[in-house]
Amino acid sequence: MSEARLFKPRFNPAKPIFNIVVFLLYLFLLAPLIIVFVVSFASNQYLSFPPEGFTLKWYQALPSETIFVEGMKVSLIVAVFVTVVVLAIGVPAALALQRFEFKSKAAMEAFFLSPLLTPSIVLALGMVLLFGPLNLNNTYTGIIIGHVAITIPFVIRTTIMSLATADTSCEDAARILGAGPWTVFRRVTLPIIRPGVIAGGVIAFIVSFDEAVISLFVAESGLPTLPVQVLRYVENSADAAVAALSVILILISLAVVVVVERVMGLRKALN
Amino acid sequence: MTESKLSIVDLTKKYAAGLAPAVDRLNMEVEEGHLVALLGPSGCGKTTTLRMVAGLMDPTAGSIMVDGREITQEPVNKRGMGMVFQSYALFPHMNVEQNVAFGLQMRQVPKAEQKARVAEALDMVQLGHLGKRATKALSGGQQQRIALARALVVEPTLLLLDEPLSNLDAKLRDTMRTEIRSIQQRTRATTLFVTHDQDEALDMADRIAVMNGGLIEQFGSPIDVYERPRTHFVANFIGQANFLTITVGEDVGPASAAGERNYKIEVPGLGHFGAVGASGLTGRSLPVLIRPHRLRASLQPSASVQELKGTVEQVSYTGDTLSIAVRVGDEVLQSQLHTTSGSLPHTGDTAFLSWDPEHAYILPEHAKAVAA
C-alpha cells in the first residue's frame, strides 16, 4: 500500500498552468483564422461577429465575383513565374555564396538578404519610381521583379542551409569519377540539396501569392492581384464573400504544405 | 587492370603568402602496382598532397606525372583516377548499383557492359547481393566497400585512399585493412593511401612516406622506416622508442646489414655498450634508438653482460605484455616484457637493462627541435 504511494508522481502545480498558457497562446494565434472561418458561413448581411445564422451563399457567390477570379488568375501567373525565376537566380547565388571564396562575398550575402530587413513599403515606393520611366508599372514583369526581390532571401537561406549540411566529398567523388561541373550540379549537388530548394520554392510561391504592398503600388490600376482585389472589395462592400475567399486561400496554402510535407518532408527541409 | 607509375616533382602548396607551405617541394616516385602510405600527424600535408594528385586542389608549384605524362594542369574529371573518402561520400540519392555505375556512365560505357562490370565490382567486395539497396541502409564497413568498388570499377590510373578506415570501429578496421590490401594486390592498382595510423601503414604499404611539416622525412619500406629511421621524428612516430644520447667509440668491424658498422658506444657516466650504425660515426655524440621490446630487463644482475642499473618507476600490465618504466640516472627507459617470463617486476624493484648490439641503432643525425 505504501509502495504504491511511493511511485505516484508528485503533483506539480506548474504543469496545468503551463498547459493553460500554451492553450491561450494557440487560441491567440488561431483566433483570426477561426473567426474568418465562422464568419464565412454566417448569414449576417455585413461583415460582423457573432453570426446570426448559417448559410453557404458566400461560397456560392464566389465564382460570379469576376474581380476575384481575375485577381486569382493574375496572382497564380505571378506566383508561378516568381517561383521559377527566384529559383533560377537564388540557387546558383546560394551555391556561390556557400561553396566559393571571393572578395565581395560578405557584401553579396548582405545584398541578397537585405530585402528581409527593408520595410516593403519602402521597396514598393522605390519600385514605382524606378518602374515609371521603364514602363514596367502595371505589367507582369514589374510585379514579378518586385516579388523576386522580396522572395530571394528565403530561397537563398533554405538552399544555403541544405548546402551547409551536405557532404562536399560527394561532389569531389563525382568529379574524380569524370563528371564535369554541370553534371556534378545536376546529378549530385541538386538532388542532395533538393529539400532546401523545394522549401525555398514553396515559401517564395506563398509569399508572392500573398503579397499586397508591392502589388498595390506597382500595379493597382492595371493588373490587380488577388490580395489587391480583396483590399478593394473590403473598401467598397462589407459582406462576407471575402471571408469565404479567405477560407479557400487558407485551404490552398494548407494543401500545398501538406503535399510537400508528404512528398519531401518540408519540416526536415526547414530545420 | 592498368598499372601506372606516379612521379611527384618539387610539389609545393602554399595556402597564403607568409604562411609556411602546407607541402614543401615534395618529391616521390611510386612504382607500378605499389601501395604507398602517406603517414604523418594531422597538418603534416599528407591530405593536401593527395588532393593535389587527385586534382581537387591546384599546386602552387611543381609537377605530377603519371607514366611520364605530365598531368599537373589536367582537370580533375579528366585524370581517370579513383578515390575513396573518409566519409565514404556515397551519393545518398542513388542505390548501390547506381553509385558504382556512376563512373562508367561518365565514360559512356554501353549499358550491358556497365551492368556486367558493376556486378563484377560488387562481387569483388562481396556485396553482390546488395545492388538494389539504398546506401543509407548499410553499415559503415559495407558503405566503405561500395566506395571502393565505385573507385575501382573504372579501372583508375591511380587509386587514392583518404583515411578510408578511420570512421570504422576497431574490429572492422582490421578486417577492412586486410581486404583493401588483398583487393589492391589482386587488381595491382597503384595506390596512394593517406593515414595517421602507423600500424595501418606498416601492415598495408609497400612503401611508407613519413611526412612532417610538409616534408617527407623518410621514404622507404615498412622494415626500413621501422628498423633504420633516418630521423628522431620517424623513430618516434613509428612504433615506440627509447633514445639515449651516447658518444660513439671505436669501430669494431662490419655489421650484418650491408654498409653498417659495429661500434662501441659510451653512455656517459654509465658504461660502455655495443650498437650499430652507418660508417664514420666514431667520435660523434648522437642518439641511439632501442625499441622497448628489445630492451631486456631482469631483476638479477648478469655476470657476462654489461648492464644499466635502474629503478622500476611504473608498471603497466596489458595481458600479453608488461610495460615497465625504468629510471636510469636522468633518463626513463621503457621496456616491454612477455608475461610468460617467470618473476614480474614491481614498482620500486631494481632492474638491470641490457640489449644486443644489433638492436641498438645509432641515428645518423641529432634530434631536431620538433614542435609538440
Side-chain angles (χ1 to χ4, degrees):
Chain A
M1 198 178 84
S2 61
E3 251 181 357
R5 202 174 294 156
L6 261 180
F7 291 102
K8 202 179 160 198
R10 211 152 48 106
F11 175 73
N12 183 352
K15 203 158 185 205
I17 295 176
F18 176 75
N19 285 341
I20 290 168
V21 169
V22 169
F23 175 76
L24 289 176
L25 211 63
Y26 271 112
L27 197 66
F28 176 74
L29 289 173
L30 290 173
L33 299 186
I34 296 167
I35 288 180
V36 164
F37 188 78
V38 172
V39 166
S40 74
F41 294 104
S43 57
N44 310 20
Q45 202 184 344
Y46 300 108
L47 204 54
S48 62
F49 197 79
E52 288 155 8
F54 177 83
T55 178
L56 285 174
K57 69 175 174 189
W58 306 121
Y59 288 93
Q60 284 155 353
L62 277 183
S64 54
E65 292 284 0
T66 51
I67 62 163
F68 288 161
V69 178
E70 279 302 305
M72 176 83 91
K73 207 182 86 189
V74 173
S75 279
L76 280 176
I77 290 172
V78 167
V80 167
F81 274 96
V82 164
T83 307
V84 172
V85 173
V86 83
L87 288 178
I89 301 173
V91 172
L95 206 61
L97 289 171
Q98 219 281 325
R99 287 289 152 86
F100 300 107
E101 285 300 327
F102 48 94
K103 247 190 196 153
S104 49
K105 185 167 161 165
M108 287 302 272
E109 200 161 353
F111 170 75
F112 275 116
L113 299 178
S114 62
L116 273 185
L117 307 172
T118 318
S120 39
I121 195 113
V122 174
L123 279 176
L125 190 63
M127 280 172 192
V128 171
L129 298 177
L130 183 67
F131 289 172
L134 295 173
N135 285 328
L136 288 175
N137 282 330
N138 295 318
T139 62
Y140 276 111
T141 317
I143 309 176
I144 290 169
I145 291 175
H147 286 190
V148 166
I150 57 163
T151 52
I152 206 160
F154 298 106
V155 172
I156 289 186
R157 264 291 141 91
T158 56
T159 309
I160 280 184
M161 272 193 285
S162 279
L163 281 168
T165 51
D167 181 6
T168 52
S169 48
C170 282
E171 289 159 354
D172 288 344
R175 290 163 73 197
I176 289 175
L177 287 170
W182 172 243
T183 312
V184 172
F185 175 74
R186 195 174 53 83
R187 295 218 36 205
V188 179
T189 314
L190 195 56
I192 291 175
I193 63 171
R194 207 172 63 147
V197 172
I198 289 187
V202 168
I203 295 172
F205 185 92
I206 292 175
V207 167
S208 163
F209 194 72
D210 183 51
E211 206 284 330
V213 180
I214 289 175
S215 309
L216 200 61
F217 273 64
V218 170
E220 197 211 344
S221 51
L223 211 56
T225 61
L226 189 57
V228 173
Q229 296 285 29
V230 169
L231 218 61
R232 282 170 156 187
Y233 188 87
V234 178
E235 270 171 3
N236 299 326
S237 44
D239 61 40
V242 282
L245 180 67
S246 302
V247 170
I248 300 223
L249 293 184
I250 292 168
L251 292 178
I252 290 175
S253 296
L254 208 63
V256 169
V257 172
V258 167
V259 166
V260 172
E261 162 65 22
R262 275 294 133 87
V263 178
M264 287 299 313
L266 186 63
R267 238 174 324 175
K268 199 180 89 191
L270 285 173
N271 275 341
Chain B
M1 188 144 303
T2 48
E3 292 182 18
S4 316
K5 189 180 150 174
L6 169 71
S7 317
I8 296 174
V9 183
D10 285 337
L11 194 67
T12 302
K13 178 70 186 181
K14 261 191 166 162
Y15 283 111
L19 238 64
V23 175
D24 194 1
R25 277 159 297 155
L26 183 134
N27 285 279
M28 190 163 71
E29 293 275 328
V30 178
E31 278 173 48
E32 296 180 2
H34 266 192
L35 188 153
V36 169
L38 297 174
L39 175 67
S42 47
C44 72
K46 55 192 193 301
T47 296
T48 306
T49 304
L50 191 79
R51 292 181 73 83
M52 285 193 283
V53 172
L56 294 171
M57 203 180 260
D58 291 325
T60 314
S63 55
I64 301 161
M65 279 172 289
V66 173
D67 290 332
R69 196 170 62 84
E70 165 117 25
I71 59 155
T72 323
Q73 301 302 323
E74 209 162 42
V76 45
N77 55 327
K78 304 281 183 223
R79 292 194 184 185
M81 297 187 179
M83 185 155 168
V84 175
F85 295 81
Q86 181 175 353
S87 62
Y88 321 132
L90 295 178
F91 308 129
H93 52 291
M94 300 182 195
N95 71 19
V96 171
E97 275 177 358
Q98 289 164 336
N99 261 281
V100 178
F102 189 87
L104 298 174
Q105 288 166 6
M106 294 301 116
R107 284 159 178 74
Q108 277 151 5
V109 172
K111 275 264 152 57
E113 191 188 334
Q114 269 184 37
K115 218 175 155 195
R117 280 170 69 176
V118 166
E120 195 188 332
L122 284 175
D123 282 341
M124 177 177 69
V125 295
Q126 294 155 30
L127 290 177
H129 55 296
L130 294 181
K132 301 285 182 224
R133 289 280 190 89
T135 54
K136 270 175 260 174
L138 304 176
S139 71
Q142 288 172 327
Q143 291 196 33
Q144 200 55 298
R145 277 190 273 173
I146 288 157
L148 189 64
R150 184 178 68 177
L152 283 170
V153 75
V154 299
E155 304 192 345
T157 51
L158 283 177
L159 178 62
L160 308 172
L161 308 172
D162 185 9
E163 306 241 8
L165 305 176
S166 30
N167 275 11
L168 304 175
D169 57 58
K171 209 159 205 167
L172 199 55
R173 207 177 303 158
D174 284 349
T175 326
M176 280 302 289
R177 204 196 265 181
T178 323
E179 194 167 325
I180 289 181
R181 178 58 166 158
S182 80
I183 289 173
Q184 188 268 333
Q185 282 177 333
R186 256 199 334 261
T187 58
R188 306 250 325 128
T190 308
T191 304
L192 217 51
F193 179 96
V194 163
T195 180
H196 61 266
D197 184 327
Q198 36 143 337
D199 292 338
E200 245 166 62
L202 289 171
D203 181 17
M204 296 171 69
D206 294 296
R207 294 284 181 276
I208 299 176
V210 185
M211 291 187 68
N212 184 29
L215 299 164
I216 293 185
E217 294 246 342
Q218 187 168 359
F219 185 72
S221 70
I223 293 176
D224 241 26
V225 292
Y226 184 79
E227 297 288 350
R228 294 294 178 258
R230 202 172 296 150
T231 65
H232 195 276
F233 175 84
V234 173
N236 225 348
F237 196 79
I238 301 200
Q240 291 168 288
N242 289 309
F243 296 104
L244 279 171
T245 303
I246 49 99
T247 310
V248 185
E250 185 193 339
D251 182 336
V252 294
S256 51
E260 288 184 352
R261 315 289 299 177
N262 273 309
Y263 290 99
K264 284 209 178 306
I265 59 170
E266 187 194 351
V267 183
L270 296 170
H272 293 268
F273 299 87
V276 296
S279 61
L281 299 178
T282 302
R284 294 176 64 188
S285 173
L286 288 168
V288 68
L289 161 73
I290 307 159
R291 300 284 181 192
H293 67 281
R294 289 169 182 168
L295 185 64
R296 281 191 303 262
S298 69
L299 297 174
Q300 255 68 53
S302 150
S304 55
V305 194
Q306 174 73 271
E307 289 171 319
L308 285 173
K309 189 178 162 191
T311 315
V312 178
E313 273 201 340
Q314 222 171 36
V315 177
S316 138
Y317 176 80
T318 55
D320 296 346
T321 58
L322 187 77
S323 300
I324 60 171
V326 181
R327 175 167 288 280
V328 180
D330 292 339
E331 310 272 353
V332 176
L333 299 178
Q334 304 287 333
S335 171
Q336 248 170 39
L337 314 171
H338 283 286
T339 44
T340 49
S341 53
S343 59
L344 296 171
H346 300 284
T347 311
D349 287 354
T350 300
F352 298 89
L353 303 173
S354 63
W355 61 86
D356 296 334
E358 68 264 31
H359 289 156
Y361 178 66
I362 305 167
L363 293 186
E365 63 171 56
H366 247 294
K368 275 185 292 185
V370 177

